[in-house]
Amino acid sequence: MNADVDGPLIAPTRRAVLIGAERYRRHSYGDNHPLGIPRVSLTLDLIQAYGALSEPEFRTARPAMPVELERFHTREYIGALQQCEAEGRVAHRYRQRHNVGNFENPFFPGFFTTPATATQGSIQGAEVVLEGLIAFNPAGGMHHARPDAARGFCYLNDPVLGILRLRREGLRVLYVDIDAHHGDGVEAAFRQDPEVLTLSLHMDTAYAYPFEGGGVGDAGPLDNAVNMPLPRGVHDDEYRHVFGRLWPAVLEAFRPAVVVLQAGTDILGPDPLGKFRISTQLFLEVVQRILADAPRHADGTPRLLVLGGGGYHPLALARCWTGVWGLLSGRELPEAVPPEGEALLRAVDWDLDEDEGYFERLFTQRVDHAISGEVRAEVRTRVDVLLSGHPWLRGRSRIR
Ligand SMILES: [Zn+2]
């Protein structure tokens, strides 16, 4: 924690833990990569500028050990990442075999240790939930990684390893992925586990990464995947409609013991990679709904693990995840960004094609509000098709 940036403290009303590590401050994918921006460190600093984090609420992640990672990843892949990090370069034989050392998944100092830390954060987050608290690991959510390869900027699949920790306790897990991209790596990992259901709302892979899968009809061999591909240009009212119909249907049909939310912010309007136009206000409304409906511990605390994910607009991301932490910890944050927070955001080197009026508000307002959509009819039809066609949501699943 950075103890010298402190606004007046706002007390929490819910038992939640924020997981971070000092190493994210030095973390970089390199200047030319979409992830070469401050994310977790900026979020933590902004939260502290609001005075919205007390010492006991913060826990530090350490790098996961190979034996922990090998519960999902291959020993060969972990060994290769470690060797590349030690040698300061990616040997040619690993480039193709493990899809690292290229533009998509570049080498950078700490390219094993930093994802390993994010992964331990998600495993630790699962343990925090088992302790009876809500957990938020904003460095997590790297949902594309495969057992033996990096994919889509993701080296290690921390959501899978966090879910596996919960599965070791026999818990039935609902994984909800609201990142703009299909949560393909997590879905693939649990295709054969009827005690895990994955729900992903995402940009249709006909036009967006990973360019395959994630269709309405892609329910997997056990029907335990629910996929909602959406057209470009989805706005608040459309997303609210889709989520408002899918979420209760899935919750009711699956009855999980715990919910894991991947909260990538690339669905937000200004995101340079995402094609949706979701407001921060609606993003937080979705998180609030999940908080309200999630299964509960005996004392009423939601059984919820929240992970980060994509998000390529540093200012929109830091504001959004600050709002997420406010909800999880039960704090009413002021609408205005405090002066220390505004200074932090203004210090970020970022002015990518922003609309000028909007750009200024990014520094001063915590939340932006709804914008209306134009693809409503198409979105409604797609949800109808999913709800009426998904074997599992229609109540005739093989996994019940
Ligand atoms: Zn994404």
Side-chain angles (χ1 to χ4, degrees):
M1 268 177 87
N2 182 359
D4 50 319
V5 188
D6 279 317
L9 278 181
I10 307 172
T13 60
R14 220 184 250 124
R15 289 162 18 98
V17 163
L18 181 56
I19 299 164
E22 201 46 42
R23 81 165 21 249
Y24 304 135
R25 206 169 284 286
R26 303 187 302 272
H27 177 42
S28 176
Y29 277 64
D31 289 344
N32 296 319
H33 194 277
L35 285 178
I37 53 170
R39 304 172 85 248
V40 176
S41 57
L42 186 64
T43 302
L44 274 160
D45 291 348
L46 186 58
I47 287 170
Q48 287 190 275
Y50 272 96
L53 185 65
S54 65
E55 203 77 45
E57 292 176 296
F58 184 79
R59 296 195 197 175
T60 303
R62 59 163 172 80
M65 293 178 292
V67 64
E68 295 173 286
L69 299 171
E70 287 165 16
R71 289 180 186 278
F72 176 62
H73 294 285
T74 64
R75 180 166 295 184
E76 187 196 16
Y77 177 48
I78 297 304
L81 292 178
Q82 286 181 299
Q83 189 184 335
C84 295
E85 181 167 288
E87 290 175 358
R89 58 183 278 278
V90 174
H92 184 72
R93 65 184 181 283
Y94 295 144
R95 280 178 204 273
Q96 272 208 308
R97 197 182 301 163
H98 302 301
N99 195 31
V100 290
N102 46 29
F103 175 78
E104 177 187 335
N105 308 300
F107 176 81
F108 56 85
F111 99 135
F112 168 71
T113 305
T114 302
T117 304
T119 300
Q120 197 277 335
S122 293
I123 297 169
Q124 187 180 155
E127 287 169 352
V128 165
V129 172
L130 294 170
E131 269 177 54
L133 291 80
I134 297 168
F136 183 26
N137 176 32
M142 307 311 273
H143 57 173
H144 298 305
R146 298 298 168 139
D148 63 346
R151 289 278 175 85
F153 318 157
C154 304
Y155 301 79
L156 298 172
N157 201 315
D158 63 278
V160 167
L161 285 153
I163 293 168
L164 286 174
R165 181 67 189 86
L166 297 166
R167 292 290 303 120
R168 272 164 62 199
E169 307 302 318
L171 297 178
R172 192 167 163 88
V173 182
L174 170 56
Y175 171 76
V176 183
D177 191 317
I178 62 170
D179 188 284
H181 300 95
H182 175 224
D184 57 349
V186 183
E187 178 184 303
F190 295 106
R191 283 180 96 78
Q192 302 299 337
D193 184 350
E195 298 293 311
V196 177
L197 184 131
T198 59
L199 166 63
S200 180
L201 286 72
H202 46 259
M203 298 188 287
D204 196 319
T205 59
Y207 69 86
Y209 186 87
F211 302 109
E212 58 177 346
V216 163
D218 295 329
L222 300 180
D223 303 326
N224 62 337
V226 180
N227 283 304
M228 187 71 255
L230 293 164
R232 287 184 180 86
V234 167
H235 287 65
D236 279 20
D237 45 2
E238 292 139 350
Y239 200 90
R240 184 182 290 113
H241 174 82
V242 172
F243 190 81
R245 291 181 65 191
L246 282 180
W247 165 249
V250 165
L251 204 58
E252 165 68 25
F254 187 65
R255 299 192 177 278
V258 57
V259 174
V260 176
L261 169 65
Q262 196 270 22
T265 68
D266 42 8
I267 61 170
L268 294 175
D271 193 276
L273 267 57
K275 304 290 183 212
F276 296 167
R277 300 280 294 151
I278 307 300
S279 71
T280 311
Q281 182 195 37
L282 180 66
F283 193 106
L284 297 177
E285 203 178 297
V286 167
V287 174
Q288 178 64 56
R289 178 76 192 269
I290 292 171
L291 258 177
D293 296 346
R296 295 186 179 264
H297 293 285
D299 72 349
T301 304
R303 297 160 74 99
L304 177 63
L305 167 60
V306 180
L307 311 175
Y312 307 94
H313 189 301
L315 311 175
L317 174 143
R319 294 190 328 162
C320 184
W321 284 350
T322 295
V324 168
W325 171 247
L327 290 176
L328 299 182
S329 64
R331 286 176 165 95
E332 291 271 358
L333 299 182
E335 284 303 309
V337 176
E340 302 92 326
E342 187 179 337
L344 283 166
L345 297 179
R346 286 198 187 277
V348 177
D349 181 16
W350 183 266
D351 58 354
L352 203 75
D353 292 332
E354 300 290 355
D355 162 75
E356 226 172 285
Y358 179 81
F359 190 52
E360 273 306 303
R361 288 200 298 279
L362 277 167
F363 302 115
T364 56
Q365 287 179 12
R366 187 172 63 79
V367 170
D368 47 76
H369 296 274
I371 334 160
S372 289
E374 289 128 33
V375 286
R376 180 177 292 210
E378 182 178 353
V379 165
R380 282 176 191 251
T381 306
R382 286 191 188 205
V383 193
D384 288 341
V385 168
L386 178 56
L387 284 174
S388 61
H390 193 288
W392 196 83
L393 294 175
R394 281 168 55 192
R396 51 174 190 79
S397 167
R398 281 161 279 175
I399 64 163
R400 201 162 265 280

